[in-house]
């Protein structure tokens, strides 16, 4: 997907504030637009992170949180497509029939 100027006018992300710990806070609307842009087919998350001037791992975490929220998995962990091991218990008959 190629982005023209109107699609990427929110890049780089606007920093709203910087905390005492050095963490930057970003504009929520622009952050949401970035996440939605990353969800388009063929878009490189690492490339978008560079354009937005954020760490690629942070952007990936935002995308994962977005997907969990919109799939309804935010409150229930362990649900979804995750594989799970289920113990199999064999029950032997105490009185086998002849």
């Amino acid at each position: 997907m190629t982005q023209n100027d109107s699609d990427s006018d929110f890049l780089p992300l606007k920093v709203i504030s910087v905390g005492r710990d050095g963490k930057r806070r970003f504009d929520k609307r622009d952050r949401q637009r970035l996440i939605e842009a990353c969800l388009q087919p063929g878009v490189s998350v690492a490339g978008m992170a560079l354009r937005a001037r954020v760490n690629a791992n942070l952007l990936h975490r935002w995308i994962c949180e977005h997907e969990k929220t919109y799939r309804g998995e935010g409150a229930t962990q362990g649900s979804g497509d995750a594989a799970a091991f289920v113990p199999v218990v064999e029950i032997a008959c105490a009185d086998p029939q002849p």
Side-chain angles (χ1 to χ4, degrees):
M1 175 179 153
T2 60
Q3 298 217 350
N4 58 31
D5 290 334
S6 65
D7 289 341
S8 60
D9 61 347
F10 61 95
L11 295 177
L13 290 184
K14 295 175 192 78
V15 177
I16 300 301
S17 66
V18 179
R20 295 178 76 185
D21 56 1
K23 290 184 182 179
R24 299 177 295 164
R25 306 319 189 261
F26 299 98
D27 181 71
K28 287 184 180 184
R29 187 174 41 177
D30 288 348
R31 181 174 145 175
Q32 184 66 30
R33 289 176 66 187
L34 175 61
I35 291 167
E36 290 170 1
C38 289
L39 293 175
Q40 299 301 315
V43 172
S44 166
V45 173
M48 289 299 288
L50 284 172
R51 291 180 66 197
R53 296 185 185 152
V54 298
N55 184 285
N57 292 325
L58 176 62
L59 179 53
H60 182 68
R61 187 173 71 209
W62 289 349
I63 293 168
C64 289
E65 289 170 358
H66 171 82
E67 289 176 341
K68 283 182 182 179
T69 300
Y70 284 94
R71 276 191 263 149
E73 292 182 359
T76 58
Q77 297 209 0
S79 63
D81 297 332
F85 289 98
V86 178
V88 177
V89 180
E90 182 179 343
I91 301 174
C93 291
D95 188 26
Q97 298 292 326

